[in-house]
Amino acid sequence: NAGVTQTPKFQVLKTGQSMTLQCAQDMNHEYMSWYRQDPGMGLRLIHYSVGAGITDQGEVPNGYNVSRSTTEDFPLRLLSAAPSQTSVYFCASSYDRWGTEAFFGQGTRLTVV
Amino acid sequence: QQQVKQSPQSLIVQKGGISIINCAYENTAFDYFPWYQQFPGKGPALLIAIRPDVSEKKEGRFTISFNKSAKQFSLHIMDSQPGDSATYFCAASGAELGQNFVFGPGTRLSVLP
């Protein structure tokens, strides 16, 4: 049972490049989410999905796109990378949005130069 | 924007001592309050959680104290060990609000041997 798997673990992008951060879970969770973690700011929600085909914006969605074609996968796309998107990104899944344990991936450390 | 405030930002405790981290929230409709523990290079993992119908929850050396009237909750780590050195995040969510998890900014705990 792998839990939540994120790839890649590290990535360096040039300003303006695009890329996709992959996230997969094998727990059959309906709810999945993407967070970014910056020093002193905790975890901020970028986008989330309550099930296949349903996505919505979180607190800091600008510059990011998501899709949810299957229950298992929830990729995060950076459309045109900017230095302000340098951060550690975490994908998480849980049974629901509110009151149950969220399982996090190992994170992707992204640097935009 | 719902917020969760957390203090202190960092904490240094001697081995065997008590570590105390405090959080405060604004919206009384929050009804689930988890604490997450994060080791360097890893994703956060659920440590312990509480709902507002109880004032305290204990799991091993970890205790959450909850003060509904003051809208505050705290994490107590008894007999702190060097292996407890990590970053701790409090969070809150509310099904009635349709509110996703909101995380505090985190507390970096260092337990000295």
PDB file of all heavy atoms in Angstrom, chain A residues 17-38:
ATOM      1  N   GLN A  17       8.811  28.367 -18.257  1.00  0.00           N
ATOM      2  CA  GLN A  17       8.598  26.968 -18.601  1.00  0.00           C
ATOM      3  C   GLN A  17       7.331  26.449 -17.923  1.00  0.00           C
ATOM      4  O   GLN A  17       6.873  26.986 -16.918  1.00  0.00           O
ATOM      5  CB  GLN A  17       9.799  26.118 -18.161  1.00  0.00           C
ATOM      6  CG  GLN A  17      11.026  26.292 -19.033  1.00  0.00           C
ATOM      7  CD  GLN A  17      12.148  25.360 -18.632  1.00  0.00           C
ATOM      8  OE1 GLN A  17      12.427  25.154 -17.451  1.00  0.00           O
ATOM      9  NE2 GLN A  17      12.812  24.780 -19.635  1.00  0.00           N
ATOM     10  N   SER A  18       6.803  25.374 -18.492  1.00  0.00           N
ATOM     11  CA  SER A  18       5.649  24.718 -17.878  1.00  0.00           C
ATOM     12  C   SER A  18       6.046  23.317 -17.448  1.00  0.00           C
ATOM     13  O   SER A  18       7.035  22.754 -17.958  1.00  0.00           O
ATOM     14  CB  SER A  18       4.494  24.654 -18.873  1.00  0.00           C
ATOM     15  OG  SER A  18       4.860  23.880 -20.001  1.00  0.00           O
ATOM     16  N   MET A  19       5.300  22.779 -16.508  1.00  0.00           N
ATOM     17  CA  MET A  19       5.551  21.411 -16.085  1.00  0.00           C
ATOM     18  C   MET A  19       4.336  20.881 -15.330  1.00  0.00           C
ATOM     19  O   MET A  19       3.466  21.653 -14.913  1.00  0.00           O
ATOM     20  CB  MET A  19       6.791  21.285 -15.224  1.00  0.00           C
ATOM     21  CG  MET A  19       6.612  21.697 -13.786  1.00  0.00           C
ATOM     22  SD  MET A  19       7.882  20.988 -12.696  1.00  0.00           S
ATOM     23  CE  MET A  19       7.506  19.236 -12.777  1.00  0.00           C
ATOM     24  N   THR A  20       4.309  19.579 -15.153  1.00  0.00           N
ATOM     25  CA  THR A  20       3.235  18.925 -14.412  1.00  0.00           C
ATOM     26  C   THR A  20       3.811  18.145 -13.252  1.00  0.00           C
ATOM     27  O   THR A  20       4.741  17.359 -13.425  1.00  0.00           O
ATOM     28  CB  THR A  20       2.446  17.965 -15.325  1.00  0.00           C
ATOM     29  OG1 THR A  20       1.856  18.710 -16.389  1.00  0.00           O
ATOM     30  CG2 THR A  20       1.349  17.268 -14.540  1.00  0.00           C
ATOM     31  N   LEU A  21       3.266  18.401 -12.065  1.00  0.00           N
ATOM     32  CA  LEU A  21       3.599  17.626 -10.880  1.00  0.00           C
ATOM     33  C   LEU A  21       2.567  16.503 -10.779  1.00  0.00           C
ATOM     34  O   LEU A  21       1.360  16.747 -10.804  1.00  0.00           O
ATOM     35  CB  LEU A  21       3.546  18.494  -9.622  1.00  0.00           C
ATOM     36  CG  LEU A  21       4.748  19.374  -9.306  1.00  0.00           C
ATOM     37  CD1 LEU A  21       4.975  20.405 -10.392  1.00  0.00           C
ATOM     38  CD2 LEU A  21       4.550  20.060  -7.957  1.00  0.00           C
ATOM     39  N   GLN A  22       3.076  15.304 -10.634  1.00  0.00           N
ATOM     40  CA  GLN A  22       2.182  14.149 -10.600  1.00  0.00           C
ATOM     41  C   GLN A  22       1.839  13.759  -9.168  1.00  0.00           C
ATOM     42  O   GLN A  22       2.653  13.891  -8.261  1.00  0.00           O
ATOM     43  CB  GLN A  22       2.830  12.947 -11.306  1.00  0.00           C
ATOM     44  CG  GLN A  22       3.189  13.181 -12.764  1.00  0.00           C
ATOM     45  CD  GLN A  22       1.966  13.343 -13.655  1.00  0.00           C
ATOM     46  OE1 GLN A  22       0.848  12.981 -13.295  1.00  0.00           O
ATOM     47  NE2 GLN A  22       2.181  13.916 -14.838  1.00  0.00           N
ATOM     48  N   CYS A  23       0.613  13.282  -8.979  1.00  0.00           N
ATOM     49  CA  CYS A  23       0.157  12.794  -7.677  1.00  0.00           C
ATOM     50  C   CYS A  23      -0.773  11.618  -7.902  1.00  0.00           C
ATOM     51  O   CYS A  23      -1.710  11.717  -8.710  1.00  0.00           O
ATOM     52  CB  CYS A  23      -0.551  13.886  -6.896  1.00  0.00           C
ATOM     53  SG  CYS A  23      -1.232  13.315  -5.326  1.00  0.00           S
ATOM     54  N   ALA A  24      -0.517  10.534  -7.190  1.00  0.00           N
ATOM     55  CA  ALA A  24      -1.372   9.354  -7.285  1.00  0.00           C
ATOM     56  C   ALA A  24      -1.587   8.781  -5.896  1.00  0.00           C
ATOM     57  O   ALA A  24      -0.677   8.769  -5.075  1.00  0.00           O
ATOM     58  CB  ALA A  24      -0.738   8.305  -8.196  1.00  0.00           C
ATOM     59  N   GLN A  25      -2.811   8.311  -5.647  1.00  0.00           N
ATOM     60  CA  GLN A  25      -3.114   7.663  -4.359  1.00  0.00           C
ATOM     61  C   GLN A  25      -3.826   6.342  -4.629  1.00  0.00           C
ATOM     62  O   GLN A  25      -4.571   6.207  -5.600  1.00  0.00           O
ATOM     63  CB  GLN A  25      -3.949   8.590  -3.458  1.00  0.00           C
ATOM     64  CG  GLN A  25      -5.224   9.123  -4.061  1.00  0.00           C
ATOM     65  CD  GLN A  25      -6.472   8.325  -3.747  1.00  0.00           C
ATOM     66  OE1 GLN A  25      -6.444   7.369  -2.971  1.00  0.00           O
ATOM     67  NE2 GLN A  25      -7.574   8.720  -4.364  1.00  0.00           N
ATOM     68  N   ASP A  26      -3.584   5.392  -3.706  1.00  0.00           N
ATOM     69  CA  ASP A  26      -4.151   4.058  -3.892  1.00  0.00           C
ATOM     70  C   ASP A  26      -5.105   3.688  -2.764  1.00  0.00           C
ATOM     71  O   ASP A  26      -5.303   2.502  -2.463  1.00  0.00           O
ATOM     72  CB  ASP A  26      -3.040   3.023  -4.036  1.00  0.00           C
ATOM     73  CG  ASP A  26      -2.134   2.953  -2.816  1.00  0.00           C
ATOM     74  OD1 ASP A  26      -2.376   3.693  -1.839  1.00  0.00           O
ATOM     75  OD2 ASP A  26      -1.175   2.156  -2.841  1.00  0.00           O
ATOM     76  N   MET A  27      -5.668   4.689  -2.099  1.00  0.00           N
ATOM     77  CA  MET A  27      -6.556   4.453  -0.964  1.00  0.00           C
ATOM     78  C   MET A  27      -8.025   4.644  -1.327  1.00  0.00           C
ATOM     79  O   MET A  27      -8.889   4.617  -0.453  1.00  0.00           O
ATOM     80  CB  MET A  27      -6.165   5.391   0.182  1.00  0.00           C
ATOM     81  CG  MET A  27      -4.768   5.088   0.708  1.00  0.00           C
ATOM     82  SD  MET A  27      -4.175   6.317   1.896  1.00  0.00           S
ATOM     83  CE  MET A  27      -3.703   7.630   0.779  1.00  0.00           C
ATOM     84  N   ASN A  28      -8.302   4.882  -2.590  1.00  0.00           N
ATOM     85  CA  ASN A  28      -9.666   5.084  -3.081  1.00  0.00           C
ATOM     86  C   ASN A  28     -10.348   6.283  -2.406  1.00  0.00           C
ATOM     87  O   ASN A  28     -11.560   6.276  -2.191  1.00  0.00           O
ATOM     88  CB  ASN A  28     -10.516   3.821  -2.888  1.00  0.00           C
ATOM     89  CG  ASN A  28     -11.704   3.797  -3.835  1.00  0.00           C
ATOM     90  OD1 ASN A  28     -11.641   4.310  -4.947  1.00  0.00           O
ATOM     91  ND2 ASN A  28     -12.802   3.216  -3.372  1.00  0.00           N
ATOM     92  N   HIS A  29      -9.532   7.305  -2.086  1.00  0.00           N
ATOM     93  CA  HIS A  29     -10.086   8.513  -1.488  1.00  0.00           C
ATOM     94  C   HIS A  29     -10.732   9.385  -2.547  1.00  0.00           C
ATOM     95  O   HIS A  29     -10.178   9.577  -3.631  1.00  0.00           O
ATOM     96  CB  HIS A  29      -8.985   9.313  -0.785  1.00  0.00           C
ATOM     97  CG  HIS A  29      -8.539   8.697   0.498  1.00  0.00           C
ATOM     98  ND1 HIS A  29      -7.315   8.999   1.069  1.00  0.00           N
ATOM     99  CD2 HIS A  29      -9.136   7.834   1.341  1.00  0.00           C
ATOM    100  CE1 HIS A  29      -7.194   8.328   2.202  1.00  0.00           C
ATOM    101  NE2 HIS A  29      -8.291   7.619   2.385  1.00  0.00           N
ATOM    102  N   GLU A  30     -11.873   9.959  -2.197  1.00  0.00           N
ATOM    103  CA  GLU A  30     -12.543  10.861  -3.127  1.00  0.00           C
ATOM    104  C   GLU A  30     -11.902  12.256  -3.136  1.00  0.00           C
ATOM    105  O   GLU A  30     -11.829  12.922  -4.135  1.00  0.00           O
ATOM    106  CB  GLU A  30     -14.019  10.994  -2.768  1.00  0.00           C
ATOM    107  CG  GLU A  30     -14.840   9.734  -3.032  1.00  0.00           C
ATOM    108  CD  GLU A  30     -14.924   9.383  -4.510  1.00  0.00           C
ATOM    109  OE1 GLU A  30     -14.935  10.312  -5.361  1.00  0.00           O
ATOM    110  OE2 GLU A  30     -14.942   8.187  -4.836  1.00  0.00           O
ATOM    111  N   TYR A  31     -11.447  12.687  -1.968  1.00  0.00           N
ATOM    112  CA  TYR A  31     -10.936  14.057  -1.835  1.00  0.00           C
ATOM    113  C   TYR A  31      -9.434  14.096  -1.999  1.00  0.00           C
ATOM    114  O   TYR A  31      -8.700  13.357  -1.327  1.00  0.00           O
ATOM    115  CB  TYR A  31     -11.322  14.619  -0.473  1.00  0.00           C
ATOM    116  CG  TYR A  31     -10.889  16.041  -0.263  1.00  0.00           C
ATOM    117  CD1 TYR A  31     -11.519  17.089  -0.925  1.00  0.00           C
ATOM    118  CD2 TYR A  31      -9.845  16.359   0.594  1.00  0.00           C
ATOM    119  CE1 TYR A  31     -11.116  18.400  -0.743  1.00  0.00           C
ATOM    120  CE2 TYR A  31      -9.433  17.657   0.784  1.00  0.00           C
ATOM    121  CZ  TYR A  31     -10.083  18.679   0.106  1.00  0.00           C
ATOM    122  OH  TYR A  31      -9.677  19.988   0.285  1.00  0.00           O
ATOM    123  N   MET A  32      -8.969  14.950  -2.913  1.00  0.00           N
ATOM    124  CA  MET A  32      -7.537  15.175  -3.094  1.00  0.00           C
ATOM    125  C   MET A  32      -7.279  16.665  -3.182  1.00  0.00           C
ATOM    126  O   MET A  32      -8.148  17.440  -3.587  1.00  0.00           O
ATOM    127  CB  MET A  32      -7.020  14.472  -4.359  1.00  0.00           C
ATOM    128  CG  MET A  32      -7.136  12.961  -4.306  1.00  0.00           C
ATOM    129  SD  MET A  32      -6.391  12.124  -5.713  1.00  0.00           S
ATOM    130  CE  MET A  32      -4.638  12.322  -5.361  1.00  0.00           C
ATOM    131  N   SER A  33      -6.070  17.061  -2.802  1.00  0.00           N
ATOM    132  CA  SER A  33      -5.765  18.479  -2.741  1.00  0.00           C
ATOM    133  C   SER A  33      -4.280  18.715  -2.977  1.00  0.00           C
ATOM    134  O   SER A  33      -3.465  17.802  -2.802  1.00  0.00           O
ATOM    135  CB  SER A  33      -6.168  19.059  -1.381  1.00  0.00           C
ATOM    136  OG  SER A  33      -5.616  18.294  -0.324  1.00  0.00           O
ATOM    137  N   TRP A  34      -3.959  19.941  -3.379  1.00  0.00           N
ATOM    138  CA  TRP A  34      -2.586  20.371  -3.545  1.00  0.00           C
ATOM    139  C   TRP A  34      -2.340  21.576  -2.638  1.00  0.00           C
ATOM    140  O   TRP A  34      -3.144  22.517  -2.605  1.00  0.00           O
ATOM    141  CB  TRP A  34      -2.302  20.789  -4.991  1.00  0.00           C
ATOM    142  CG  TRP A  34      -1.964  19.660  -5.902  1.00  0.00           C
ATOM    143  CD1 TRP A  34      -2.782  19.034  -6.789  1.00  0.00           C
ATOM    144  CD2 TRP A  34      -0.690  19.013  -6.018  1.00  0.00           C
ATOM    145  NE1 TRP A  34      -2.106  18.042  -7.450  1.00  0.00           N
ATOM    146  CE2 TRP A  34      -0.810  18.006  -6.992  1.00  0.00           C
ATOM    147  CE3 TRP A  34       0.553  19.188  -5.383  1.00  0.00           C
ATOM    148  CZ2 TRP A  34       0.257  17.175  -7.363  1.00  0.00           C
ATOM    149  CZ3 TRP A  34       1.602  18.373  -5.755  1.00  0.00           C
ATOM    150  CH2 TRP A  34       1.447  17.379  -6.737  1.00  0.00           C
ATOM    151  N   TYR A  35      -1.203  21.533  -1.935  1.00  0.00           N
ATOM    152  CA  TYR A  35      -0.780  22.630  -1.077  1.00  0.00           C
ATOM    153  C   TYR A  35       0.617  23.076  -1.489  1.00  0.00           C
ATOM    154  O   TYR A  35       1.404  22.300  -2.017  1.00  0.00           O
ATOM    155  CB  TYR A  35      -0.710  22.194   0.386  1.00  0.00           C
ATOM    156  CG  TYR A  35      -2.026  21.861   1.026  1.00  0.00           C
ATOM    157  CD1 TYR A  35      -2.566  20.575   0.936  1.00  0.00           C
ATOM    158  CD2 TYR A  35      -2.733  22.829   1.741  1.00  0.00           C
ATOM    159  CE1 TYR A  35      -3.765  20.277   1.541  1.00  0.00           C
ATOM    160  CE2 TYR A  35      -3.944  22.518   2.345  1.00  0.00           C
ATOM    161  CZ  TYR A  35      -4.443  21.250   2.241  1.00  0.00           C
ATOM    162  OH  TYR A  35      -5.645  20.951   2.839  1.00  0.00           O
ATOM    163  N   ARG A  36       0.901  24.304  -1.196  1.00  0.00           N
ATOM    164  CA  ARG A  36       2.277  24.761  -1.260  1.00  0.00           C
ATOM    165  C   ARG A  36       2.710  25.175   0.145  1.00  0.00           C
ATOM    166  O   ARG A  36       1.898  25.696   0.944  1.00  0.00           O
ATOM    167  CB  ARG A  36       2.475  25.910  -2.256  1.00  0.00           C
ATOM    168  CG  ARG A  36       1.689  27.160  -2.022  1.00  0.00           C
ATOM    169  CD  ARG A  36       2.053  28.239  -3.054  1.00  0.00           C
ATOM    170  NE  ARG A  36       3.400  28.765  -2.851  1.00  0.00           N
ATOM    171  CZ  ARG A  36       4.016  29.592  -3.694  1.00  0.00           C
ATOM    172  NH1 ARG A  36       3.408  29.983  -4.819  1.00  0.00           N
ATOM    173  NH2 ARG A  36       5.239  30.037  -3.441  1.00  0.00           N
ATOM    174  N   GLN A  37       3.971  24.914   0.439  1.00  0.00           N
ATOM    175  CA  GLN A  37       4.509  25.224   1.762  1.00  0.00           C
ATOM    176  C   GLN A  37       5.665  26.187   1.617  1.00  0.00           C
ATOM    177  O   GLN A  37       6.666  25.874   0.973  1.00  0.00           O
ATOM    178  CB  GLN A  37       4.980  23.947   2.474  1.00  0.00           C
ATOM    179  CG  GLN A  37       5.482  24.200   3.884  1.00  0.00           C
ATOM    180  CD  GLN A  37       5.853  22.924   4.598  1.00  0.00           C
ATOM    181  OE1 GLN A  37       6.222  21.925   3.998  1.00  0.00           O
ATOM    182  NE2 GLN A  37       5.751  22.942   5.923  1.00  0.00           N
ATOM    183  N   ASP A  38       5.504  27.341   2.219  1.00  0.00           N
ATOM    184  CA  ASP A  38       6.538  28.367   2.216  1.00  0.00           C
ATOM    185  C   ASP A  38       6.897  28.698   3.650  1.00  0.00           C
ATOM    186  O   ASP A  38       6.049  28.625   4.540  1.00  0.00           O
ATOM    187  CB  ASP A  38       6.042  29.613   1.484  1.00  0.00           C
ATOM    188  CG  ASP A  38       5.636  29.308   0.050  1.00  0.00           C
ATOM    189  OD1 ASP A  38       6.542  29.007  -0.752  1.00  0.00           O
ATOM    190  OD2 ASP A  38       4.422  29.344  -0.258  1.00  0.00           O
TER     191      ASP A  38
END
